[in-house]
Amino acid sequence: MRYLAEHLLYQGNREIFLGIEAAAGRLHRKMGNLTPGGLVLSEYNRRYFGKMLANPVRVLQRFSYLLFLALRKWRKPLGDLVLVDYGGGCGMLSFLAAEAGVGRVIYNDIYEVSCRDAARLCGALGVGVKEYVCGDIDTLIDYLNQHSLSVDAFVSNDVIEHVYDIRRYLGKMAVLPNRTIHVVHASGANGKNPLLAWRFRKRHLSYEYKDRSLTRGWKQMDTLRGYLHARMEIIAKYKPSLGPEEVERLARITRGLRRDDIERSVDEYLQNGTITYRPDHPTNTCDPYTGSWAEHLMDTAFLENTLRDQGFSVTTLSGYWHHMKPFHIRVIGKVLNFLIRVLRKRALCVSPYYVICAEYNG
């Protein structure tokens, strides 16, 4: 089984290509030796990791590709590199990096439950990830500064579509301590793919208007309330003097805002009779308590320009269709992958995800 497409061998460091390919094979075998029922994990990550075990090849192919993109241009030994896995979830990208020989791998996630579970999985798999940082980008930067660490590679997978203030977050990339850094952000919220965009818009509407029931594996920091209803509750509690119609109108206008910004908007309304903020997308919405977006559909040009403003050179790539079990789907995926390879960024309309690759030479 191949984890990296052969043509990538000619797009970077051969040693890194072969190292990641071999590491993915070893990690695959270690995953196969696990007994899921014997793992002491939260319900959330038991469900999340269970999905990975259902198709480990697909997971490892995607993480191998992202890791290759982050490391392919480095000429110094892997053992001298420092890599950050931002929003690492179960930790599979961290585990793969460590298995490939990256000298220092720093796992990070904002969800404390995931940080704890990733450390447990690391022990069960027998890989060498020793540093776990629980918190947001500011917490991570504080940790790096406290330990006098310079970051060579920064990788995130399916994270940027949930970050509340994406402009501020991308601005932090240039603050990460190092003179040279390679950044890779991958996101499945690919609005250029019309089928995916349609699915995500439907999901936005569901999260906005429908309350959800508590199910096994629910991420405890997420609200179960429909986001519109949650904003109405926030506004009514913050300013009880507002009438029901005003509360609902303000709640609709503040779609896409977190609690602190909602309250500031209400203050502006009470002072000026209107608010300046308006949603810039017909369906994008976020959890008003945490600010976590529901698959934020963003223009890749905006992401590129924001990073360029920070001094990065930026390229957007179309992600590939990785291993699918049904044979006919796998054949279709091979055809689409050929188009993606030839058309590159122009193939986003048929790609399952996009990848923002950025390099900073401070």
Side-chain angles (χ1 to χ4, degrees), residues 311-325:
F312 284 85
S313 57
V314 189
T315 304
T316 298
L317 301 175
S318 301
Y320 290 97
W321 291 93
H322 301 299
H323 181 76
M324 303 293 284
K325 289 189 174 180

Side-chain angles (χ1 to χ4, degrees), residues 141-158:
I141 290 173
D142 287 343
Y143 178 88
L144 296 171
N145 288 329
Q146 289 167 12
H147 291 79
S148 301
L149 288 173
S150 294
V151 178
D152 301 298
F154 184 101
V155 188
S156 76
N157 177 60
D158 283 336

